Amino acid sequence: MKVSILLLLVCTAILAVGARADAPDKTDEMVKKVQEYVKQAAEAVKTAFTTVNESEAAQQARRWLSDNTDLVKQQLARLREQLVGLWKVTPTA
């Protein structure tokens, strides 16, 4: 869930609770309801992230990144060796 969607939900909850408050002395009730809505939204986001993190696709992506990181490191080391060799061969003025 994107942060902008979460922010939109929180703002909507605040407006909804504010519209339901009939009198100014019910601000404590409004604050408690907003806190409850925010807590529920945070739990929903946490559950969604946990589900995505534990998914097979996420595990495959982590394995792919791990495998390709080693390959990229090897290629960078090879490129560095070539540049060092080129640096030594380049005549100085």
Side-chain angles (χ1 to χ4, degrees), residues 31-80:
V31 168
K32 287 179 184 178
K33 287 185 179 183
V34 169
Q35 289 174 341
E36 187 177 311
Y37 287 136
V38 169
K39 184 178 178 181
Q40 289 173 355
E43 286 297 322
V45 169
K46 182 178 178 181
T47 302
F49 280 138
T50 302
T51 302
V52 168
N53 193 28
E54 294 174 353
S55 71
E56 182 64 30
Q59 292 175 5
Q60 288 176 352
R62 282 192 292 273
R63 281 192 298 269
W64 183 85
L65 286 172
S66 175
D67 294 344
N68 288 327
T69 300
D70 294 337
L71 179 63
V72 169
K73 286 179 182 178
Q74 291 171 0
Q75 291 177 348
L76 286 174
R78 199 173 304 133
L79 178 64
R80 190 175 122 218

